Amino acid sequence: MEQAWLIPVFGFGAFAFLALFRKYLPGQGKHLSVLAIIAAFVAVWPVLFDMLDKGVGEHHFPRDWFSAGPLEVGWGIIVDPLTIVMLALITFVSVIVQVYSLGYMRHGNADDPRVGWYFAVHSLFSASMLMLVLADNLLLLYVAWELVGLCSYLLIGFWFERRSAAEAAKKAFVTTRIGDVGLLIGVVLLIVEFGTVDVIEIMNSLGDPGVNQAVVTASAFLVFFGAMGKSAQFPLHVWLPDAMEGPTPVSALIHAATMVTAGVFLVARLFPLFDAVESAQLAIAAIGIVTALMGAAMALVMTDLKRILAYSTMSHLGFMMLALGAGGYTAAIFHLLMHGVAKAMLFLSAGSIMHAAHDETDIRKMGGLRKRMPVTSAAFTVGALALAGIPPLNAFWSKDEILLAVAGGLNPVFVVLFLVAIVLSALYMGRAVLVVFFGKLKPENDGVHESPRIMAWPLALLAVLAVVTGFIALPIGYEGIGTFLVAPGDKPHAFEVVPVWLVASVVLALGGLALAYALYGDEDTSRVDALRERFARAHDVVANRFYMDHAYQWTIDRVVLRVSAFLALFDRKVVNDVGVNGPGLSAVEAGRRLRYHVTGLFADYGLGIVVGVAILGALLWIRSVTG
């Protein structure tokens, strides 16, 4: 475990090497990046086995870095069950995505011209997220946090020649930076209050006498604000659907293992901080359920396949935040793991469709693709059913744990709203499967065929995992995920089954799928058209993403830009022209006026001397007379 810091080193090394020398390497060094993440994935397992051997719990390995006055800053690591789960998920999904990218980033028989840079940033992305997971102090965590944001910017805007991609990258970067300002202030408050950057020391000192509870409360809200930006929680969610402008494997990585999981991880890592502030936990739960419902509603009306999956991610991140707000630490991280497997498969399946259908993402132009792409169809269907909550697929188990956590820790209103979200999740997933893969094959898709094996095999592997990974919840031959993933200070507990909630969640999920089949099960769109016409106002609101993008754009155009223009004018006319240039211009003008007496004529100088002497003589005479 003490050598776990080496896991991100592989990625950092690959990035540095490819950034400098990729032009001189075969295939621009893309295989080196793949080998680096495979090495990182392999390195996770000795860490896991060492923990199982030495005892499941929190293991801290501090190392000195530097000191600033009385503040000692280290760069040590924390190895606990949360770390292990995140390390396994990040490295596994990264391996799958990078292997898949070997096929996806080829156009015909040639690689993308910047394929080496693509894989280099992939390595940096994974390594940054791994460092974030391992960091034992707030400063190192924040550095990794910002590196993750930088990599998302570089990959979302990878095809920056397209204006939409460049704009999407900037939107993601700026939106998440807004949240990061809150995180930075919260981190500084914690460091100042506790006199240390060490996460474990701060968490253990929260209940000490003399601790300023106002600072703790403010820090909890500010840190969560940072998590809201990264994990696309309302109202900082607007960047996520536009992030689809990057290559589809990037979307799989962002949605399954890196960018958006960082916010959920942060809340989990600092869980004692939020547990100590009841109002913060309630806020997390409220934001989570609002995000879940909004994401599900928008996924239901979108016609772009990748945007449907993006809003699905937003909704399920809301599930995780809801669970954390309810105190369901285990349920949230379990769902993070299960969702990561299923969502990686769904996005890679979408990439497989785009690869075969010339980058088409409009589901209205699809249909019947199961006849041409059986592997992709099967993988996407399994992933959709998993996120819909159908047993025995993996996300069913974690969703059921979230339901129990919400029922046991929050007001019944949250339970009702969560059950609604379950129905909507099944409905939009059923819609995507039926519209894309079933029905008649459209003539324009007649030439579509299954993707190359290097892209199809990762889908098949993820489909198998989506079927079997949920069973780790059960204590079969070992204690189960419930006794492995435990919040700091809590007692281990096994996976629970409450028949009432189990039956209710399954019935609602099946009901959502049945409703999807009734609406989208055949070519007749009259029922959907009638509903759209009947609820036209609501449909327009949801289809326009609740007009939040419009509101933000209006604020930027009418407030931010106008205030900025006024400040720029004030800076130019007052600060620059008067405050900076004014003294210099005054000196120049005074010099210009004073130089008129310098004529170069001897008579003028003689006259000046005579006048000067006369004036001095007069002054001396006046002084002598007045005594």
Side-chain angles (χ1 to χ4, degrees):
M1 288 186 290
E2 59 269 26
Q3 304 303 323
W5 63 271
L6 289 170
I7 295 174
V9 170
F10 295 108
F12 284 126
F15 167 75
F17 196 79
L18 291 180
L20 295 173
F21 306 114
R22 64 184 183 279
K23 295 181 180 179
Y24 310 104
L25 300 172
Q28 296 189 39
K30 59 184 181 180
H31 295 96
L32 178 64
S33 176
V34 177
L35 291 174
I37 195 59
I38 290 175
F41 175 67
V42 171
V44 172
W45 296 98
V47 178
L48 170 61
F49 295 141
D50 191 29
M51 173 181 283
L52 295 176
D53 181 57
K54 295 179 179 177
V56 175
E58 189 174 69
H59 300 268
H60 186 204
F61 302 97
R63 290 178 175 84
D64 294 332
W65 188 6
F66 67 88
S67 60
L71 186 65
E72 298 290 336
V73 180
W75 61 282
I77 60 175
I78 297 173
V79 181
D80 61 0
L82 175 62
T83 305
I84 296 294
V85 167
M86 293 299 297
L87 291 177
L89 177 65
I90 296 163
T91 54
F92 174 73
V93 172
S94 297
V95 168
I96 294 294
V97 168
Q98 290 207 30
V99 170
Y100 178 95
S101 295
L102 293 174
Y104 187 87
M105 295 304 288
R106 292 183 66 83
H107 306 289
N109 295 320
D111 284 326
D112 187 285
R114 295 195 303 274
V115 69
W117 178 243
Y118 170 86
F119 278 93
V121 180
H122 253 285
S123 294
L124 180 63
F125 204 1
S126 301
S128 301
M129 189 66 192
L130 292 169
M131 185 170 78
L132 170 64
V133 167
L134 286 164
D136 74 333
N137 70 81
L138 295 175
L139 180 60
L140 187 60
L141 184 148
Y142 188 78
V143 170
W145 182 274
E146 293 301 327
L147 280 174
V148 168
L150 170 64
C151 293
S152 69
Y153 168 79
L154 294 173
L155 288 172
I156 292 169
F158 178 74
W159 287 317
F160 55 82
E161 301 89 348
R162 300 197 312 238
R163 182 172 178 80
S164 57
E167 293 295 328
K170 288 190 290 185
K171 186 175 183 178
F173 192 79
V174 172
T175 305
T176 54
R177 289 297 76 68
I178 293 171
D180 291 354
V181 171
L183 173 61
L184 179 60
I185 297 171
V187 164
V188 170
L189 287 177
L190 289 173
I191 293 173
V192 171
E193 178 65 23
F194 294 96
T196 179
V197 297
D198 189 277
V199 170
I200 294 177
E201 188 174 342
I202 292 174
M203 295 302 103
N204 291 337
S205 303
L206 289 170
D208 289 354
V211 172
N212 189 328
Q213 292 303 314
V215 171
V216 172
T217 300
S219 299
F221 278 96
L222 288 165
V223 169
F224 177 61
F225 193 62
M228 286 167 58
K230 277 288 193 291
S231 288
Q233 298 294 288
F234 170 84
L236 299 180
H237 64 278
V238 293
W239 67 271
L240 189 61
D242 293 329
M244 300 302 99
E245 292 293 337
T248 302
V250 172
S251 300
L253 190 62
I254 288 175
H255 288 252
T258 51
M259 181 79 164
V260 299
T261 62
V264 177
F265 167 80
L266 180 65
V267 176
R269 173 63 82 209
L270 303 182
F271 190 75
L273 172 64
F274 300 101
D275 195 36
V277 183
E278 186 177 347
S279 57
Q281 276 204 304
L282 183 60
I284 292 171
I287 292 293
I289 192 60
V290 169
T291 303
L293 291 171
M294 287 183 65
M298 288 185 282
L300 190 56
V301 302
M302 291 294 141
T303 56
D304 185 291
L305 181 58
K306 290 178 71 175
R307 286 181 181 270
I308 292 171
L309 297 180
Y311 284 121
S312 168
T313 299
M314 174 183 164
S315 182
H316 282 270
L317 289 167
F319 287 7
M320 299 170 209
M321 289 297 187
L322 174 64
L324 288 168
Y329 175 97
T330 303
I333 303 305
F334 186 26
H335 194 63
L336 174 67
L337 182 61
M338 299 298 99
H339 171 267
V341 173
K343 190 51 61 70
M345 178 168 54
L346 287 170
F347 266 108
L348 295 184
S349 297
S352 178
I353 295 170
M354 293 173 62
H355 189 268
H358 308 293
D359 292 331
E360 183 59 68
T361 59
D362 191 335
I363 63 173
R364 295 170 296 185
K365 298 180 181 179
M366 301 177 189
L369 292 184
R370 74 184 191 284
K371 301 172 184 177
R372 293 287 187 269
M373 308 181 72
V375 175
T376 300
S377 173
F380 192 97
T381 303
V382 169
L385 292 176
L387 292 186
I390 303 301
L393 302 177
N394 62 359
F396 156 75
W397 304 91
S398 55
K399 179 212 66 182
D400 207 54
E401 277 286 277
I402 293 175
L403 181 56
L404 294 181
V406 173
L410 291 172
N411 188 284
V413 172
F414 286 92
V415 179
V416 173
L417 293 176
F418 183 59
L419 293 175
V420 172
I422 290 174
V423 176
L424 292 177
S425 183
L427 179 57
Y428 68 69
M429 277 302 171
R431 169 182 178 251
V433 171
L434 291 168
V435 173
V436 174
F437 296 103
F438 289 82
K440 295 180 181 179
L441 183 68
K442 290 181 172 58
E444 58 265 37
N445 294 324
D446 193 54
V448 171
H449 55 81
E450 188 61 81
S451 296
R453 290 183 180 180
I454 199 167
M455 296 171 64
W457 278 111
L459 296 179
L461 174 60
L462 287 168
V464 172
L465 291 176
V467 174
V468 303
T469 48
F471 290 101
I472 64 175
L474 303 178
I476 303 174
Y478 77 113
E479 294 179 334
I481 195 74
T483 52
F484 184 74
L485 274 174
V486 183
D490 283 359
K491 295 180 179 179
H493 67 279
F495 178 78
E496 298 179 51
V497 176
V498 177
V500 173
W501 293 122
L502 177 66
V503 172
S505 67
V506 173
V507 168
L508 290 173
L510 292 174
L513 291 178
L515 181 58
Y517 183 79
L519 294 173
Y520 305 100
D522 53 38
E523 300 292 323
D524 183 13
T525 62
S526 60
R527 293 181 295 273
V528 177
D529 294 338
L531 284 172
R532 187 182 297 115
E533 184 176 349
R534 183 176 181 181
F535 301 101
R537 182 66 62 84
H539 178 271
D540 289 344
V541 170
V542 178
N544 284 284
R545 299 183 280 189
F546 294 90
Y547 294 102
M548 292 200 64
D549 290 83
H550 298 77
Y552 286 147
Q553 193 63 53
W554 184 91
T555 303
I556 292 170
D557 293 340
R558 300 296 181 87
V559 180
V560 176
L561 293 181
R562 290 186 179 183
V563 171
S564 299
F566 170 76
L567 292 176
L569 183 64
F570 179 83
D571 176 68
R572 186 169 61 252
K573 296 296 184 181
V574 178
V575 176
N576 188 67
D577 292 355
V578 177
V580 177
N581 293 341
L585 292 174
S586 299
V588 170
E589 179 63 18
R592 187 181 66 82
R593 293 179 179 275
L594 288 173
R595 74 184 182 183
Y596 287 141
H597 74 284
V598 184
T599 64
L601 298 176
F602 179 77
D604 292 342
Y605 296 155
L607 178 60
I609 293 171
V610 170
V611 171
V613 169
I615 293 172
L616 288 174
L619 291 173
L620 290 173
W621 179 77
I622 293 171
R623 182 180 180 184
S624 63
V625 171
T626 57

